[in-house]
Amino acid sequence: MKVIDLRSDTVTGPTKGMRSAMALAPVGDDVYGEDPTVNRLQGMMAELLGMEAGLFVASGTMANIVAVLTHTGRGDEMILGDRSHIFLYEGGAAAGLAGVHPHLLKNEPDGTIALAAIEGAIRADNVHFPRSRLLCLENTHNRCGGEILGLDYLTAACAIAHRHGLAVHLDGARLFNAAVAAGIVPSDLTQGVDSVMVCLSKGLGAPVGSVLCGSRPFIDEARRMRKVVGGGMRQAGIIAAAGIYALEQHIDRLAEDHENARRLASGIDTIPGLTCSQPDGPATNLVYFSVDCSAANVAAGDPPVDAIILSERLRARNVLASPLGPDLIRMVTHLDVTQAEIDVALFALRSAVHGT
Ligand code: TLP
């Protein structure tokens, strides 16, 4: 029986067409800048994002740390949200590898950071203070439910940063989800940022890789930093070919994932004890829901369950989810999950709550 894996959109496998594109890709040594497939992917992504140049890297985490290393020096400060991926889930790389001082500000539920808070966090030029150098934003915002940062907000945040001499890096791991959901082109969402990274191995369905984009001088320096962190790859065209295939075939279909996420979330809301955390439903492909299966919320006589137990019961029913603590679960829709499988997952969830 097929396992319905809703832990993340990172779990997608390469399709047949993607595998054959990989097998046929012309390759060269990318540390010499001679891999034609990597060069093509970098050019395609830069063009889609309206940036001068791109750099293929192994992962989203590598793209973010290379960006931080390129924008900052040791002891500098970066401003970022307290629910950002860079802060929560990247092993403390910015502090550990770049020696950068994180200045955390509260992420609002919609993934933004209040503009006044950004302005207020920027340091005066004073020997006592670290130098404020970088503002990091995230779009879509993972831990804020896949919310989309809108154009007006991005423009205003970039204007504040630039007025004070800070660069802006956008973690756009799921930027294409944001663009498709908002019905705009991705380059609309990058106006004003100095660098942006997009993951190929999430909703776009490639097995490996992210592309970091920015100005030509920024990317020249980022190429050096990629080497420093051991990310210089050789015949990387084999994997870059999957990224090209993903850009050609898998952008528009992200709308199906969003539709499936809405279907999943509305089904979840009908199950006693479960409440979708996004009051207006998911904006993109991430579904977060709270688990309150205390005796009051389930049928009389059912034993209480929490998110961990519920996820184990789901696993026993061939449905995988990510528990994020005792009362929160994330499910992610993607290329390898059909609408019919969403209904199967909902059936499993309903029965798992009751432990039947
Ligand atoms: N996110 C993963 C986990 O690390 C949580 C996931 O399953 O969602 N930025 C954002 C916004 C991300 O969501 C992720 C991955 C990354 C960066 C890092 O990408 P990778 O996993 O390629 O290093």
Side-chain angles (χ1 to χ4, degrees):
M1 191 182 175
K2 185 188 165 188
V3 172
I4 301 172
D5 193 344
L6 297 167
R7 287 171 303 171
S8 182
D9 46 10
T10 59
V11 300
T12 52
T15 61
K16 231 172 150 185
M18 188 179 272
R19 281 180 186 272
S20 77
M22 294 170 80
L24 297 174
V27 296
D29 190 322
D30 182 48
V31 173
Y32 293 122
E34 290 172 1
D35 189 302
T37 308
V38 171
N39 290 341
R40 184 163 164 239
L41 171 66
Q42 291 172 163
M44 279 174 83
M45 188 67 98
E47 194 178 334
L48 279 167
L49 300 181
M51 307 298 268
E52 264 174 38
L55 184 71
F56 185 48
V57 295
S59 67
T61 302
M62 184 180 282
N64 283 334
I65 187 59
V66 165
V68 171
L69 281 162
T70 308
H71 284 301
T72 62
R74 296 186 72 78
D76 285 347
E77 189 167 73
M78 65 176 183
I79 296 172
L80 76 174
D82 61 353
R83 296 169 83 77
S84 63
H85 195 277
I86 293 180
F87 176 65
L88 291 176
Y89 298 123
E90 300 188 2
L97 302 181
V100 170
H101 196 53
H103 191 144
L104 281 190
L105 297 176
K106 181 175 173 287
N107 271 125
E108 301 300 327
D110 65 0
T112 60
I113 303 169
L115 294 172
I118 295 175
E119 186 124 39
I122 297 171
R123 310 275 191 165
D125 183 9
N126 180 309
V127 72
H128 293 88
F129 302 147
R131 291 190 174 106
S132 306
R133 284 281 192 233
L134 181 64
L135 168 66
C136 296
L137 300 171
E138 189 175 313
N139 200 9
T140 64
H141 201 291
N142 181 344
R143 275 311 302 267
C144 293
E147 288 291 321
I148 301 165
L149 268 52
L151 196 49
D152 290 349
Y153 174 78
L154 288 164
T155 307
C158 290
I160 292 171
H162 291 155
R163 196 161 59 239
H164 295 276
L166 277 73
V168 181
H169 171 65
L170 182 63
D171 174 344
R174 297 185 178 84
L175 192 77
F176 287 86
N177 293 84
V180 167
I184 53 181
V185 291
S187 55
D188 282 343
L189 294 170
T190 60
Q191 286 169 31
V193 305
D194 300 280
S195 59
V196 51
M197 80 85 168
V198 171
C199 290
L200 298 160
S201 61
K202 303 214 160 43
L204 294 177
V208 190
S210 297
V211 184
L212 176 65
C213 292
S215 67
R216 171 54 63 195
F218 172 84
I219 290 297
D220 288 346
E221 185 60 17
R223 175 174 282 276
R224 168 174 285 274
M225 291 305 158
R226 183 185 68 173
K227 190 78 179 115
V228 168
V229 297
M233 296 185 281
R234 302 298 178 171
Q235 286 71 33
I238 291 281
I239 48 177
I244 292 175
Y245 186 91
L247 292 181
E248 286 173 345
Q249 307 290 332
H250 292 166
I251 296 179
D252 293 343
R253 64 148 309 284
L254 291 171
E256 289 169 36
D257 299 342
H258 302 163
E259 181 58 41
N260 282 340
R262 284 193 292 274
R263 186 181 185 90
L264 180 61
S266 36
I268 285 170
D269 273 336
T270 66
I271 302 175
L274 306 186
T275 313
C276 179
S277 313
Q278 297 120 309
D280 301 325
T284 53
N285 69 328
L286 308 181
V287 178
Y288 285 83
F289 60 96
S290 61
V291 182
D292 178 10
C293 296
S294 61
N297 280 309
V298 292
D302 284 348
V305 291
D306 64 12
I308 315 283
I309 296 171
L310 190 56
S311 301
E312 282 164 8
R313 289 185 186 169
L314 281 174
R315 182 179 281 275
R317 290 161 170 79
N318 291 315
V319 175
L320 304 184
S322 293
L324 298 164
D327 58 5
L328 188 66
I329 292 184
R330 185 185 77 163
M331 286 182 164
V332 184
T333 57
H334 53 77
L335 179 65
D336 286 354
V337 180
T338 63
Q339 190 190 86
E341 286 164 349
I342 293 297
D343 294 340
V344 173
L346 281 168
F347 183 84
L349 201 46
R350 191 175 292 277
S351 94
V353 164
H354 295 287
T356 52

